[in-house]
Amino acid sequence: MTISEAEAVVMDVLWGKAPRTAEEILAEVGPSQNWQEGTVKSLLNRLLKKDAVHAERDGRRYLYTPLLLREQYVQQESKGLLDRLFGGRVAPLVAHFSEQRKLSEKDIAELRKLLAELDNEQH
Amino acid sequence: MTISEAEAVVMDVLWGKAPRTAEEILAEVGPSQNWQEGTVKSLLNRLLKKDAVHAERDGRRYLYTPLLLREQYVQQESKGLLDRLFGGRVAPLVAHFSEQRKLSEKDIAELRKLLAELDNEQH
DNA sequence: AACTTATGTTTACACGCGTAAATGATTGCG
DNA sequence: CGCAATCATTTACGCGTGTAAACATAAGTT
């Protein structure tokens, strides 16, 4: 059961801070997304059906908490792309960005550090 | 105008070798995908509408050629993911795979080489 | 108790996608 | 020439998505 892009926007809010009410979610996401309240409610209900969030009654409203972890989601998404486009290998992906000149100085520095760490830990 | 996943499967065949007839595409993709001929035709027509492929009549059938380049497609897809999930920065993405233990020895070697090259060329 | 407000639940609707069946057109064969 | 085979084009249909309107319900207010 995959979660859609609009649903992921809602999850993002919850990953930022939870639990939250529908209203709070709308407040954070409405401006950029131009959504109505009903839209957010629908998305939350679909996420409930998909067991991606949990809702706990709090008086008249619900508090929503993510069940699906950001890490899991990121994992699925990136693995999908990696497999589909780069034969499941990371180096070609980085090479791609490199050719596209999408590697910032900071990226390069961090990559270097990462490799150095891998060198030590050997894991 | 984005191209869907099933459409991308067809594009993949064409990126491998073009021009091709619908029949050839089916032959290459049918087994793994379990598609009927009509399915491939529909996908080709949708790709035509999206200007992702070009069709040239050849007697009774058409020869299809990709207009959208693989590089463009890969670019869009990866940028999308990168922006949505890693704030547009490459290093965090690689770090993610690293944590997931998805970096093969070969990946690491290649990344190292890549960084070395970047070092020289300074581009 | 009736009315308003806040919130959630149900229903809707158009669009793209995956998948194909139905139909149409062209051509080779008997 | 008429029929069968070969392609292509049109139509279909269920499902998920993006987006919300309509409806229901509970709680606070007069």
Side-chain angles (χ1 to χ4, degrees):
Chain A
M1 206 133 300
T2 51
I3 89 179
S4 79
E5 207 162 316
E7 287 160 3
V9 170
V10 171
M11 289 305 289
D12 239 333
V13 175
L14 291 176
W15 284 324
K17 184 181 163 197
R20 305 266 206 135
T21 69
E23 198 191 359
E24 286 168 333
I25 295 173
L26 176 63
E28 181 155 332
V29 104
S32 68
Q33 229 68 24
N34 251 79
W35 283 342
Q36 301 298 112
E37 192 154 339
T39 304
V40 173
K41 301 274 178 71
S42 287
L43 293 173
L44 281 169
N45 279 318
R46 287 174 187 174
L47 287 169
L48 278 172
K49 279 217 183 87
K50 296 182 182 180
D51 284 318
V53 306
H54 167 78
E56 179 160 9
R57 186 132 234 157
D58 169 44
R60 77 183 85 208
R61 62 252 184 70
Y62 281 106
L63 294 176
Y64 297 91
T65 315
L67 289 183
L68 175 68
L69 302 178
R70 185 179 147 82
E71 195 45 41
Q72 289 169 357
Y73 176 70
V74 169
Q75 178 58 24
Q76 289 170 204
E77 292 294 300
S78 353
K79 184 163 180 343
L81 182 106
L82 199 68
D83 289 348
R84 277 194 303 119
L85 301 184
F86 299 97
R89 310 235 358 277
V90 175
L93 181 158
V94 176
H96 165 80
F97 283 116
S98 171
E99 282 154 25
Q100 260 11 84
R101 308 279 187 288
K102 289 296 186 215
L103 292 183
S104 66
E105 279 308 312
K106 203 173 161 201
D107 276 329
I108 295 176
E110 283 181 38
L111 288 177
R112 204 162 269 144
K113 196 165 143 218
L114 206 112
L115 285 178
E117 280 165 17
L118 283 180
D119 228 5
N120 298 337
E121 309 168 18
Q122 224 111 60
H123 65 187
Chain B
M1 206 132 304
T2 52
I3 90 179
S4 79
E5 208 163 313
E7 286 160 4
V9 170
V10 170
M11 290 304 289
D12 239 332
V13 175
L14 291 176
W15 283 325
K17 183 182 164 196
R20 305 266 205 134
T21 69
E23 199 190 359
E24 287 169 331
I25 294 173
L26 175 63
E28 181 156 332
V29 104
S32 68
Q33 229 69 24
N34 251 76
W35 283 342
Q36 304 298 112
E37 192 155 339
T39 304
V40 173
K41 300 275 177 69
S42 285
L43 293 173
L44 281 169
N45 279 316
R46 285 175 188 172
L47 287 168
L48 278 171
K49 278 215 183 88
K50 295 180 183 182
D51 284 317
V53 305
H54 167 78
E56 179 160 9
R57 187 131 232 160
D58 170 43
R60 76 183 86 208
R61 61 256 182 69
Y62 281 106
L63 293 175
Y64 297 91
T65 315
L67 288 183
L68 175 68
L69 302 179
R70 185 179 147 83
E71 194 46 38
Q72 289 169 359
Y73 176 70
V74 169
Q75 179 58 23
Q76 287 170 205
E77 292 294 300
S78 352
K79 184 164 180 345
L81 182 106
L82 198 69
D83 290 348
R84 275 193 303 123
L85 301 185
F86 299 97
R89 308 236 358 277
V90 175
L93 181 158
V94 176
H96 165 80
F97 284 117
S98 171
E99 281 154 25
Q100 268 357 92
R101 308 280 187 286
K102 289 294 188 215
L103 291 183
S104 65
E105 279 308 313
K106 203 172 161 199
D107 277 328
I108 296 176
E110 283 180 37
L111 287 176
R112 202 162 272 143
K113 196 165 143 220
L114 205 113
L115 285 178
E117 280 165 18
L118 284 180
D119 229 5
N120 298 337
E121 310 167 17
Q122 227 111 59
H123 66 183

